[in-house]
Amino acid sequence: MSDAELAVRALRSLDLTDLTETCTDQAIDALCKKALDPRGPVAAVCVWPQFVKRAQENLKGSSVRIATVVNFPAGGEDVSRVTDDTQEALSDGANEIDLVLPYNAVRRADLGIAKEMVDAVRELVDGDRLLKVILETGELKDPKLIETASLIAIESDADFIKTSTGKTPVSATSEAAEIMLRAIKASGRPVGIKPSGGIRTVDDARIYLDLADRIMGPGWATPQTFRIGASSVYDALIAAIEGREGTTTTGAY
């Protein structure tokens, strides 16, 4: 697959993200304008909860979905607080909830609290709304823990499992994504994957699309089953589509 073809495929599966501490209304307006580029559009924008309404105003009438984050980035263990935050985000118009799994609970083998959290949020995220569970694989580190976290989310009916918040030293890796994809395949459930954090070039995007094609079969990875969480890969994808040499851009996610 040429860089241009791959870039089109990746762009349409992109969760165009701004989770910077300095995000403003103007930044959200610019993000949404990019999201609606005719060469896409992207699958979703992913923004802080306080910007969900602003994104909704910008994207009204489009196919671009609005994702937001809860229990982010720390992956705390207060279930009632997280369900309150989720309910508020959904009321504001979020279509997709990216929930950070209580990954420290997984590390200390307290799997009950992790499952309780996902189950409680899953109950709220209904209809055509999606639940993505962030495993924070760079902090879990151990392949067995990554597999365990994947299974908790899959068995609690997550729609996607996602590698990372993008806020830790290690974000998405192909090794973690492979473990996650194999867990999805073994489960037989219709669960998608979202590599996120540190994806900045067309070659980075290719790694994850190739991995999905190899493990799940060609054609499996569509916006319904595969997302890339990134802010900084957008310009490289557009450059590849236009036949320009892509430049690596910097971004906080």
Side-chain angles (χ1 to χ4, degrees):
M1 189 182 294
S2 71
D3 278 3
E5 290 169 322
L6 183 119
V8 168
R9 193 176 170 201
L11 186 68
R12 289 177 183 160
S13 290
L14 187 63
D15 282 5
L16 188 61
T17 301
D18 191 336
L19 294 171
T20 56
E21 305 302 330
T22 53
C23 188
T24 61
D25 283 347
Q26 291 69 34
I28 294 298
D29 295 346
L31 189 81
C32 292
K33 189 175 177 187
K34 280 183 172 184
L36 295 170
D37 188 286
R39 286 159 292 201
V42 303
V45 296
C46 187
V47 299
W48 291 109
Q50 62 266 34
F51 293 111
V52 166
K53 284 182 177 174
R54 183 86 178 193
Q56 190 181 42
E57 288 163 19
N58 276 280
L59 297 169
K60 198 169 286 180
S62 81
S63 64
V64 179
R65 295 170 67 90
I66 300 164
T68 194
V69 290
V70 296
N71 207 28
F72 186 96
E77 298 174 19
D78 185 341
V79 175
S80 62
R81 180 183 167 190
V82 175
T83 54
D84 286 350
D85 290 347
T86 301
Q87 191 61 67
E88 189 174 343
L90 295 171
S91 298
D92 283 349
N95 310 113
E96 306 186 356
I97 297 292
D98 288 29
L99 161 72
V100 183
L101 189 75
Y103 58 88
N104 282 318
V106 176
R107 289 204 293 200
R108 62 173 191 270
D110 186 358
L111 306 186
I113 187 72
K115 181 167 174 45
E116 184 189 348
M117 174 89 67
V118 183
D119 286 344
V121 175
R122 171 77 277 176
E123 205 168 300
L124 298 173
V125 184
D126 54 6
D128 71 342
R129 300 186 291 202
L130 299 180
L131 172 60
K132 308 191 202 92
V133 178
I134 305 170
L135 309 183
E136 202 66 285
T137 54
E139 293 294 293
L140 290 173
K141 299 186 178 83
D142 184 320
K144 192 70 197 160
L145 288 180
I146 295 169
E147 183 185 29
T148 297
S150 299
L151 292 173
I152 290 168
I154 291 167
E155 288 165 8
S156 293
D157 291 328
D159 296 298
F160 280 79
I161 50 177
K162 173 176 169 181
T163 58
S164 341
T165 59
K167 302 288 187 182
T168 55
V170 177
S171 290
T173 65
S174 58
E175 293 80 8
E178 178 156 358
I179 294 164
M180 293 162 68
L181 282 164
R182 292 201 182 282
I184 291 168
K185 186 168 189 180
S187 77
R189 296 195 185 200
V191 180
I193 190 169
K194 179 178 171 180
S196 59
I199 299 167
R200 296 191 169 88
T201 67
V202 174
D203 285 344
D204 290 340
R206 186 185 291 278
I207 287 167
Y208 296 102
L209 277 164
D210 283 354
L211 198 58
D213 286 348
R214 177 164 62 81
I215 293 172
M216 305 303 291
W220 176 83
T222 69
Q224 285 70 48
T225 54
F226 181 88
R227 301 285 182 86
I228 295 171
S231 57
S232 49
V233 76
Y234 178 91
D235 291 339
L237 296 178
I238 294 293
I241 291 166
E242 292 180 344
R244 295 183 283 115
E245 186 152 338
T247 53
T248 302
T249 53
T250 57
Y253 194 92

